[in-house]
Amino acid sequence: MGFFRLVLVLLPWLAVGRAAWAETMGPSSFAVSYDVELRGVHVAKLSRSLKLNPDGSYEFESFLQSEGVAALVHPVTEREISRGDWANGAPRPTRYEYEKQSGKRRRDTQVDFDWLGGKVLGKDGREAWQTK
């Protein structure tokens, strides 16, 4: 019974310590790559990376590209990039970009975050928009 009391007492402190670490240290830069399979057949490659810069800015990128027979049948390339600053233990985006090429269809989206002005400016294809 004493062991469980000790765990109950220490658990909140461990959680607070972990949250404080995440707020001060933040995440680490990384780069990973995955082989994507559908029913055991290789269909695409997915890579993701997070780059943290000394000035507190970050860039997160995700890239997917169909490969092999899947690329012949349904070629797809998809890229997402988020840039911003790491503040108060969380990412604060300043720009987001999305591009997708699927066969002859193409989609481009850009979003800029104006935190001081309190608005978001975007462009989806040829259509521009903003929030207030």
Side-chain angles (χ1 to χ4, degrees):
M1 190 75 169
F3 173 74
F4 292 110
R5 284 186 189 154
L6 179 63
V7 168
L8 288 175
V9 169
L10 289 178
L11 195 58
W13 288 104
L14 292 173
V16 168
R18 181 171 167 77
W21 173 85
E23 189 171 314
T24 58
M25 298 298 291
S28 299
S29 294
F30 68 86
V32 294
S33 183
Y34 302 97
D35 289 320
V36 181
E37 294 183 356
L38 177 63
R39 297 185 187 122
V41 177
H42 176 77
V43 294
K45 178 74 86 177
L46 171 67
S47 60
R48 293 192 162 175
S49 64
L50 175 65
K51 181 181 177 187
L52 299 171
N53 301 309
D55 66 357
S57 65
Y58 73 88
E59 179 175 293
F60 175 78
E61 182 175 4
S62 179
F63 181 74
L64 173 84
Q65 184 166 10
S66 58
E67 293 184 342
V69 176
L72 295 173
V73 176
H74 189 71
V76 174
T77 302
E78 185 176 81
R79 179 185 309 269
E80 287 182 276
I81 299 174
S82 176
R83 293 181 184 95
D85 300 308
W86 203 265
N88 298 322
R92 189 170 100 159
T94 55
R95 181 159 178 88
Y96 172 79
E97 300 171 15
Y98 175 81
E99 302 169 8
K100 182 176 183 180
Q101 179 78 39
S102 179
K104 294 181 181 180
R105 301 176 81 182
R106 182 169 177 84
R107 180 171 180 194
D108 290 310
T109 303
Q110 296 89 31
V111 180
D112 291 301
F113 298 86
D114 178 2
W115 293 95
L116 293 176
K119 52 187 168 177
V120 178
L121 309 168
K123 184 178 178 190
D124 191 4
R126 295 180 182 162
E127 184 178 333
W129 54 269
Q130 81 174 46
T131 62
K132 295 182 180 185

